[in-house]
């Protein structure tokens, strides 16, 4: 039933229909958060939802979860089925929704998505949670120690005999995909196995693969004692994670700005990995993981924030207002 509802939600977003029965309605000025189908996006969406409910207890807040891609989340917001995304990633949106060339500079990528989202979509890309979730090649601890390998380039000599399990969608990606990997690093693996990304961690742990391509914040990295190899030739652009809000919902609920800003830098890379691990390995619902995290930090009640319009990196907000 969950799969049926998720599929129906995706189809309705793609065809421009609203989503009755799945929560609030952004068109009626409710706060509706578009989540994703990954553990990380579900945890972050729950953090945003629970922060909002904590500070705005009288406001109706709901979640549309299990949207299967960044494109579907963006479409949910652009069609006003939702007005907040719990997590968007700079590298994904820069080359995806904005259609711009990939940037290897984290600050440049962040600047471009901030300005592009505001000017083209009337959406505000908030500061990063404090971590980036990039693609990353990884091996077992034993493999790393045996071959003294900590960087991707060091795989070259062994590459012809290696089995590599990679995210199926990565094979055809532009800018940082398979073709770009071969150009950037100058070698190929002996055998490539495109697979569902959630399966790669177990595949390398049980020695069905020698090297795999996963996500750098996945909790199974620690759980399976994997070693993330340094992307020493900078194949992958930055994928810093941030909440994104529509301009309309910020105008309707200006209190959302200081609420979201309390989360700036609040989730370092190691913390996000631990939260993912709690859910994936500990089998704890993302909603519970988010609540425990927020309660441990007292919902960041004592954290003071600086308004976006007073920050040099958000001067484009005031520029558009003056126009």
């Amino acid at each position: 039933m969950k799969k049926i509802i998720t599929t129906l939600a995706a189809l309705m977003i793609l065809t421009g229909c609203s989503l009755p029965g799945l929560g609030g309605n952004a068109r009626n000025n409710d706060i509706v958060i578009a989540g994703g189908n990954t553990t990380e996006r579900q945890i972050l969406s729950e953090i945003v939802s629970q922060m909002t409910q904590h500070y705005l207890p009288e406001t109706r807040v709901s979640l549309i979860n299990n949207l299967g891609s960044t494109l579907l989340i963006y479409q949910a917001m652009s069609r006003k089925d939702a007005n907040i995304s719990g997590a968007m990633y700079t590298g994904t949106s820069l080359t995806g929704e904005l259609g711009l060339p990939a940037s290897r500079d984290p600050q440049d990528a962040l600047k471009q998505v901030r300005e592009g989202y505001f000017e083209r979509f009337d959406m505000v890309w908030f500061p990063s949670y404090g971590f980036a979730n990039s693609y990353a090649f990884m091996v077992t601890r034993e493999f790393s120690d045996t071959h003294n390998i900590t960087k991707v380039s060091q795989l070259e000599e062994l590459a012809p005999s290696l089995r590599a399990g990679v995210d199926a969608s990565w094979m055809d990606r532009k800018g940082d995909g398979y073709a770009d990997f071969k150009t950037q690093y100058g070698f190929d693996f002996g055998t490539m196995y495109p697979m569902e990304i959630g399966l790669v961690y177990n595949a390398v742990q049980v020695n069905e693969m020698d090297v795999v391509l996963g996500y750098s914040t996945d909790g199974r990295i620690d759980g399976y004692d994997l070693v993330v190899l340094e992307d020493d030739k900078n194949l992958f652009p930055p994928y810093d994670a941030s909440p994104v809000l529509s301009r309309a919902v910020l105008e309707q609920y200006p209190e959302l700005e200081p609420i979201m800003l309390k989360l700036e830098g609040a989730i370092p890379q190691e913390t996000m990995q631990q939260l993912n691990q709690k859910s994936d390995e500990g089998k704890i619902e993302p909603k519970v993981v988010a609540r425990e995290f927020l309660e441990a930090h007292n919902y960041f009640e004592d954290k003071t924030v600086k308004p976006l319009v007073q920050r040099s990196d958000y001067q484009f907000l005031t520029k558009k207002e003056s126009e």
Side-chain angles (χ1 to χ4, degrees):
M1 181 59 70
K2 183 178 179 182
K3 289 182 179 179
I4 292 172
I5 291 174
T6 302
T7 302
L8 176 62
L11 288 171
M12 296 180 85
I13 290 170
L14 287 170
T15 56
C17 302
S18 60
L19 303 168
L22 295 182
N25 189 336
R27 294 186 179 92
N28 293 336
N29 296 320
D30 294 332
I31 294 175
V32 183
I33 301 163
N37 64 348
T38 65
T39 298
E40 181 166 291
R41 266 188 157 142
Q42 291 183 4
I43 291 171
L44 293 172
S45 294
E46 283 289 351
I47 286 174
V48 168
S49 174
Q50 293 176 38
M51 280 284 285
T52 303
Q53 291 171 329
H54 177 78
Y55 287 99
L56 300 175
E58 304 301 319
T59 305
R60 187 177 181 189
V61 181
S62 59
L63 274 168
I64 304 172
N65 240 330
N66 291 302
L67 296 178
S69 68
T70 296
L71 178 60
L72 282 175
I73 293 170
Y74 159 72
Q75 288 177 333
M77 293 183 67
S78 65
R79 296 182 187 276
K80 296 181 172 58
D81 290 311
N83 41 33
I84 297 178
S85 168
M88 298 295 251
Y89 301 89
T90 52
T92 301
S93 292
L94 186 63
T95 59
E97 304 90 77
L98 292 171
L100 298 173
S103 173
R104 264 66 185 181
D105 182 333
Q107 293 306 313
D108 177 64
L110 191 55
K111 180 178 185 292
Q112 289 193 65
V113 294
R114 281 172 175 166
E115 296 181 3
Y117 253 65
F118 190 73
E119 292 168 2
R120 291 170 56 176
F121 307 142
D122 262 350
M123 298 179 194
V124 179
W125 191 290
F126 273 71
S128 170
Y129 287 113
F131 73 91
N133 186 1
S134 175
Y135 273 127
F137 284 102
M138 52 195 75
V139 296
T140 63
R141 179 78 56 188
E142 180 183 5
F143 183 98
S144 176
D145 291 345
T146 299
H147 300 286
N148 193 28
I149 286 176
T150 58
K151 301 177 181 180
V152 176
S153 62
Q154 293 171 335
L155 292 169
E156 182 172 3
E157 186 175 339
L158 296 173
S161 64
L162 297 181
R163 302 161 297 171
V166 301
D167 179 16
S169 65
W170 178 75
M171 296 295 293
D172 298 318
R173 279 177 65 88
K174 305 298 182 185
D176 64 348
Y178 180 41
D180 305 280
F181 165 78
K182 290 186 290 184
T183 300
Q184 194 85 349
Y185 278 94
F187 67 87
D188 196 2
F189 295 105
T191 311
M192 297 288 292
Y193 293 93
M195 58 202 308
E196 174 63 39
I197 196 163
L199 302 176
V200 302
Y201 309 96
N202 186 66
V204 71
Q205 184 202 30
V206 299
N207 200 35
E208 291 179 354
M209 298 293 149
D210 302 302
V211 57
V212 294
L213 183 68
Y215 291 142
S216 62
T217 57
D218 197 288
R220 286 164 288 192
I221 295 172
D222 278 348
Y224 293 174
D225 196 25
L226 304 179
V227 174
V228 174
L229 301 180
E230 179 187 343
D231 178 22
D232 53 318
K233 293 195 175 180
N234 299 314
L235 170 66
F236 299 116
Y239 289 93
D240 294 281
S242 296
V244 175
L245 283 70
S246 72
R247 191 178 179 192
V249 79
L250 284 168
E251 290 173 350
Q252 182 71 25
Y253 299 99
E255 308 96 326
L256 283 171
E257 181 182 317
I259 293 171
M260 294 300 105
L261 287 174
K262 287 177 180 290
L263 294 170
E264 180 179 3
I267 312 176
Q269 189 96 357
E270 184 177 339
T271 300
M272 192 68 246
Q273 197 174 67
Q274 291 168 351
L275 296 178
N276 286 333
Q277 186 176 17
K278 267 190 177 182
S279 187
D280 286 328
E281 298 296 303
K283 307 301 181 187
I284 301 174
E285 286 292 322
K287 185 173 185 176
V288 176
V289 173
R291 186 182 71 240
E292 291 177 348
F293 169 76
L294 290 172
E295 288 175 347
H297 292 84
N298 197 32
Y299 290 83
F300 300 98
E301 286 186 350
D302 300 326
K303 189 174 182 181
T304 57
V305 299
K306 185 178 181 180
L308 292 177
V309 294
Q310 294 180 13
R311 299 172 51 151
S312 60
D313 48 345
Y314 279 88
Q315 286 181 346
F316 60 88
L317 293 174
T318 54
K319 180 181 177 182
K320 186 162 185 177
E321 288 293 340
S322 66
E323 292 173 355

